């Protein structure tokens, strides 16, 4: 508990002892040993029974669990300046070497160190007591080392009674209520909230707290409130509203983190876009609740977690630059125009939930986007997209997300600059366009992408173009082969008859890419093609379970290897020149076919074979041995020939 003032009991007023001991005894009975109040629970309760201390001060000490400490009352009439001994009503709970705080006659709060303790009554300080001494019936409280280090920045210390000052010090926190915030849902609390943040900043960091059950308004027209290095914001379930008039235009935020700030934590808030949470979804107000507007890219080490965002037109969290380690976890975004736009490197965005809100956009390198649930969003997850010349976004992992019913775009998109990207284990249901897309717009290449083990159900709404209804789609927009290195393996793509508004056209569609491997996918129910590859180089397609009549290759350097009854096919070609082969002689060569094994069936096509020239092929580990027998009755000099082998992997 916290009270506005404390009334000391006069020394020796024994008649008042029973007045306070009775309720303290009841408090003991109620609380007992079930609750923890700090290190010396029993000592604190025993000290609280002192007939010379005020009840509310004792309860403050118990409630806020001072670190093994106590608040005592001076009983020596006064402690004069220039002396070290302080006589108190009880030394129980005090420790040699601990710091203490007390208030001087002039009003200033002084901090000292306990050098020694005389049993029961006297604390001897390390340094002399300051100007004016300590008044009789004042309080002295023990504080921790870290609390002492922050003690010189107790807000408005001279205006507080000492127990209130000690309360701030022991908590290491700055309550916005203590700075004038009302939290009544009507009054503008911007100035008070900023004052608490500034106080924490002056202390090189601190905990800024809000009260549960209250509703705070922040005037976004003033730019919201700035949060600085070393600050931890604890919402305790409080609601925060952007205080904006209907129809207001511009870009606003509740909390802004300036460029270069770091080591910041924000948790436990319910954020709303306006005082009326249901009236401004369509106001076109660019509301970025937590914003990092600087473009210098030096903001780092920010953790935002366990918050709820409602009716936000802009982004729930947005950083304009890059930065490092800006993490958002365990948050809920509901009915927001946008979701998360976090362009930080080394970011983690995990276990968030989105409903009728745009999902996640990140162009950060080494980003981890996992275990999010996104439903009825315009888009799901967008990765990469850095357009500066030579920029890249390596090492992104997008895994184990569930994305359902996107309303305007793909569920997952891999964009310009992405390199070494893993898209794995996601569940995608009824995306409006592509389930997963890989698109290079011509700014920077997309290199080395693996799409594996995803489940994609009914991709492509009837309202979108036929070519946009694909489970997995990969194609550069401007320059051929800007997508280089693409593995699509082990995915399940299918149409569900219950999804009557979706008519998937393509399972996997790849165009103008280089070095592509499409294998071990299961595809069913597509209206057009299960697999379509157009002008793709270095393409390997094999071991897919699909309809062989729905597999097409247009100007692609490949050989179709998909049928309904064959587990898979491996293909390879070799261009070579046999030596002159006389009648009755043989010629032998080997063709590398990674994955083949002894016992596999081999189909062989040999260019320029003459009548009477016979060929055979046998599978070995990762190679096929080709034998040519010349039985034509004369010499055979074919020159350069192309040998193509197909290895059947029988199910």
């Amino acid at each position: 508990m916290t009270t506005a003032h404390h009334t000391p009991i006069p020394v020796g007023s024994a008649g008042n002892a029973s007045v306070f001991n009775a309720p303290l005894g009841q408090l003991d009975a109620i609380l007992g040993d079930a609750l923890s109040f700090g290190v010396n629970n029993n000592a604190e309760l025993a000290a609280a029974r002192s007939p010379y201390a005020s009840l509310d001060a004792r309860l403050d000490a118990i409630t806020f669990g001072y670190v093994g400490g106590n608040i005592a009352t001076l009983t020596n009439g006064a402690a004069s300046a220039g002396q070290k001994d302080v006589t108190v009503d009880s030394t129980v709970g005090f420790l040699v070497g601990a710091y203490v705080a007390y208030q001087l006659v002039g009003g200033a709060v002084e901090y000292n160190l306990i050098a020694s303790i005389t049993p029961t009554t006297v604390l001897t300080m390390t340094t002399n007591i300051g100007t004016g001494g300590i008044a009789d019936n004042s309080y002295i409280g023990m504080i921790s080392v870290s609390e002492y280090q922050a003690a010189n920045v107790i807000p408005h210390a001279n205006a507080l009674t000492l127990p209130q000052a000690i309360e701030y010090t022991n908590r290491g926190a700055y309550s916005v209520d203590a700075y004038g915030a009302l939290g009544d849902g009507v009054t503008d609390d911007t100035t008070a909230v900023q004052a608490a943040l500034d106080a924490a900043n002056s202390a090189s960091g601190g905990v800024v707290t809000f009260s549960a059950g209250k509703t705070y308004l922040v005037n976004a027209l003033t730019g919201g409130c700035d949060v600085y290095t070393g600050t931890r914001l604890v919402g305790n379930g409080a609601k925060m509203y952007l205080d904006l008039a209907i129809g207001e235009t511009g870009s606003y935020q509740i909390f802004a983190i300036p460029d270069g700030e770091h080591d910041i934590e924000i948790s436990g808030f319910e954020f709303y876009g306006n005082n009326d949470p249901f009236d401004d979804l369509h106001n076109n107000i660019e509301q970025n609740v937590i914003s990092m507007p600087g473009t210098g890219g030096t903001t780092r080490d920010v953790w935002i977690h366990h918050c709820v965002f409602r009716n936000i037109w802009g982004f729930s969290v947005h950083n304009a630059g890059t930065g490092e380690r800006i993490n958002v976890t365990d948050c809920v975004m509901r009915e927001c125009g946008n979701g998360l736009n976090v362009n930080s490197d080394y970011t983690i965005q995990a276990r968030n939930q989105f409903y009728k809100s745009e999902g996640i956009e990140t162009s950060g390198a080494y980003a981890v986007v996992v275990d999010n649930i996104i439903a009825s969003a315009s888009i799901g997850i967008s990765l990469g997209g850095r357009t500066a010349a030579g920029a890249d976004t390596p090492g992104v992992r997008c895994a184990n997300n569930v994305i359902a019913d996107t309303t305007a775009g793909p569920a997952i998109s891999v964009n310009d600059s992405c390199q070494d990207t893993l898209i794995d284990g996601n569940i995608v249901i009824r995306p409006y366009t592509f389930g997963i897309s890989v698109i290079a717009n011509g700014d920077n290449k997309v290199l080395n992408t693996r799409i594996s083990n995803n489940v994609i159900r009914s991709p492509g709404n009837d309202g979108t173009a036929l070519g946009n209804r694909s489970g997995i789609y990969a194609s550069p927009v401007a320059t051929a082969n800007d997508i280089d290195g693409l593995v699509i393996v082990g995915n399940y793509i299918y149409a569900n008859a219950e999804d009557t508004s979706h008519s998937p056209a393509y399972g996997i569609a790849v165009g103008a890419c280089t070095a592509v491997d499409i294998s071990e996918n299961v595809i069913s129910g597509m209206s057009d093609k299960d697999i379509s590859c157009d002008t793709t180089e270095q393409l390997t397609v094999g071991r897919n379970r699909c309809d062989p009549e729905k597999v097409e290759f247009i100007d692609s350097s490949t050989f179709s290897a998909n049928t309904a009854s064959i587990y898979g096919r491996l293909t390879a070609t070799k261009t070579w020149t046999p030596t002159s082969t006389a009648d009755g002689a043989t010629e032998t060569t080997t063709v590398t076919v990674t994955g083949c094994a002894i016992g596999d069936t081999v189909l062989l096509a040999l260019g320029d074979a003459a009548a009477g020239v016979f060929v055979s092929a046998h599978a070995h580990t990762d190679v096929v041995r080709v034998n040519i027998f010349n039985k034509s009755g004369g010499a055979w000099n074919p020159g350069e020939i192309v040998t193509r082998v197909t290895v059947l992997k029988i199910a």
Side-chain angles (χ1 to χ4, degrees):
M1 71 180 270
T2 305
T3 55
H5 64 278
H6 295 259
T7 304
I9 305 170
V11 175
S13 181
N16 286 332
S18 60
V19 174
F20 293 101
N21 279 338
L24 284 171
Q26 295 173 14
L27 182 65
D28 278 353
I30 294 171
L31 297 177
D33 292 329
L35 299 177
S36 175
F37 308 118
V39 177
N40 296 308
N41 303 345
N42 294 333
E44 289 188 5
L45 287 171
R49 296 190 188 92
S50 168
Y52 305 111
S54 67
L55 174 61
D56 56 354
R58 293 299 179 180
L59 292 182
D60 277 353
I62 294 170
T63 303
F64 299 120
Y66 294 149
V67 184
N70 185 16
I71 295 180
T73 305
L74 274 73
T75 60
N76 63 335
S80 301
Q83 74 174 47
K84 295 181 179 179
D85 289 345
V86 179
T87 303
V88 295
D89 61 342
S90 173
T91 59
V92 175
F94 286 92
L95 302 173
V96 172
Y99 285 99
V100 292
Y102 46 81
Q103 192 169 30
L104 299 174
V105 170
V109 176
E110 184 171 81
Y111 307 93
N112 218 319
L113 192 68
I114 300 176
S116 63
I117 300 175
T118 300
T120 71
T121 58
V122 177
L123 303 174
T124 300
M125 303 294 107
T126 300
T127 59
N128 291 334
I129 296 167
T131 304
I134 311 172
D136 189 18
N137 294 325
S138 295
Y139 299 103
I140 181 168
M142 192 171 77
I143 58 177
S144 69
V145 173
S146 61
E147 292 160 349
Y148 167 74
Q149 292 170 344
N152 289 324
V153 295
I154 294 177
H156 311 301
N158 292 340
L160 302 177
T161 63
L162 182 61
Q164 288 175 308
I166 294 174
E167 177 183 315
Y168 278 107
T169 307
N170 276 276
R171 282 180 170 181
Y174 305 89
S175 168
V176 296
D177 296 352
Y179 289 86
L182 297 182
D184 58 7
V186 178
T187 306
D188 183 353
D189 295 315
T190 308
T191 300
V193 172
Q194 187 63 63
L197 290 166
D198 289 343
N201 184 44
S202 297
S204 299
V207 181
V208 176
T209 62
F210 295 72
S211 296
K214 288 191 174 183
T215 300
Y216 299 89
L217 297 188
V218 171
N219 186 345
L221 292 175
T222 63
C225 297
D226 290 335
V227 183
Y228 302 103
T229 293
T231 302
R232 180 184 176 211
L233 274 68
V234 180
N236 293 312
K239 295 180 180 179
M240 298 285 293
Y241 283 97
L242 276 170
D243 189 11
L244 289 168
I246 300 303
E248 199 72 59
T249 59
S251 181
Y252 310 107
Q253 59 271 324
I254 291 179
F255 293 125
I257 301 174
D259 210 6
E261 303 301 321
H262 55 88
D263 299 299
I264 293 169
E265 180 182 353
I266 301 174
S267 66
F269 290 93
E270 292 183 32
F271 293 108
Y272 291 87
N274 203 286
N275 195 17
D276 182 346
F278 303 103
D279 63 14
D280 70 337
L281 181 58
H282 304 291
N283 281 349
N284 203 28
I285 305 172
E286 187 66 19
Q287 304 164 4
N288 300 320
V289 174
I290 301 172
S291 178
M292 288 148 267
T295 57
T298 56
T299 303
R300 67 185 190 278
D301 301 307
V302 177
W303 183 25
I304 301 161
H305 61 98
H306 294 96
C307 292
V308 176
F309 301 83
R310 288 288 303 269
N311 295 86
I312 310 301
W313 182 260
F315 289 100
S316 301
V317 180
H318 171 74
N319 75 306
T322 51
E324 294 183 349
R325 295 175 299 278
I326 299 173
N327 304 322
V328 183
T329 67
D330 304 287
C331 291
V332 176
M333 293 79 178
R334 183 179 176 86
E335 296 173 328
C336 298
N338 297 295
L340 303 180
N341 181 256
V342 180
N343 299 309
S344 159
D345 293 340
Y346 311 102
T347 181
I348 297 175
Q349 300 179 54
R351 299 182 304 278
N352 300 293
Q353 299 182 34
F354 303 79
Y355 176 70
K356 291 186 177 180
S357 304
E358 189 171 305
I360 297 172
E361 297 181 34
T362 179
S363 63
Y366 311 107
V368 176
V369 182
V370 297
D371 297 324
N372 299 283
I373 300 174
I374 304 173
S376 301
S378 54
I379 65 169
I381 298 171
S382 177
L383 307 173
R386 291 182 176 174
T387 59
D392 56 50
T393 307
V396 175
R397 176 172 175 255
C398 175
N400 303 327
N401 302 285
V402 177
I403 306 169
D405 299 307
T406 58
T407 59
I412 300 172
S413 60
V414 180
N415 302 292
D416 282 348
S417 76
C418 281
Q419 299 182 12
D420 310 317
T421 304
L422 174 63
I423 312 296
D424 184 80
N426 301 282
I427 298 175
V428 174
I429 301 172
R430 294 182 297 271
Y432 187 78
T433 57
F434 312 117
I436 300 171
S437 68
V438 182
I439 298 176
N441 287 305
D443 296 305
N444 291 291
K445 288 187 175 184
V446 176
L447 304 176
N448 306 327
T449 304
R450 179 182 176 92
I451 302 172
S452 56
N453 305 313
N454 301 283
V455 176
I456 304 174
R457 166 178 164 175
S458 301
N461 186 279
D462 291 345
T464 189
L466 188 68
N468 291 339
R469 303 180 203 166
S470 301
I472 298 174
Y473 174 86
S475 180
V477 173
T479 306
N481 304 320
D482 268 2
I483 298 175
D484 190 346
L486 176 62
V487 174
I488 303 173
V489 60
N491 301 282
Y492 180 31
I493 305 168
Y494 72 104
N496 190 306
E498 296 179 0
D499 302 328
T500 56
S501 62
H502 286 63
S503 301
Y506 296 90
I508 298 172
V510 176
C513 301
T514 301
V516 177
D517 183 354
I518 303 172
S519 59
E520 299 184 1
N521 300 283
V522 178
I523 306 169
S524 66
M526 303 298 109
S527 64
D528 199 326
K529 300 295 181 183
D530 286 356
I531 299 175
S532 176
C533 300
D534 189 352
T535 59
T536 293
E537 299 180 5
Q538 302 175 36
L539 173 65
T540 300
V541 179
R543 294 172 291 176
N544 297 285
R545 291 186 179 273
C546 58
D547 184 345
E549 300 300 321
K550 291 185 177 181
V551 177
E552 68 174 358
F553 302 94
I554 306 170
D555 297 329
S556 297
S557 56
T558 186
F559 181 77
S560 176
N562 298 277
T563 71
S565 59
I566 296 176
Y567 169 47
R569 301 189 186 194
L570 305 174
T571 64
T573 60
K574 180 178 182 179
T575 301
W576 60 296
T577 302
T579 60
S580 179
T581 305
D583 182 39
T586 62
E587 182 83 9
T588 301
T589 190
T590 58
V591 180
T592 299
V593 186
T594 302
C596 74
I598 295 174
D600 287 344
T601 300
V602 180
L603 305 179
L604 177 65
L606 181 66
D608 296 325
V613 175
F614 301 93
V615 296
S616 65
H618 304 278
H620 298 265
T621 302
D622 293 331
V623 297
V624 171
R625 183 178 298 276
V626 178
N627 300 304
I628 301 175
F629 303 89
N630 182 8
K631 301 291 184 181
S632 64
W636 177 56
N637 298 293
E640 186 178 85
I641 62 174
V642 177
T643 301
R644 171 174 287 165
V645 296
T646 300
V647 177
L648 303 183
K649 308 293 287 186
I650 305 300

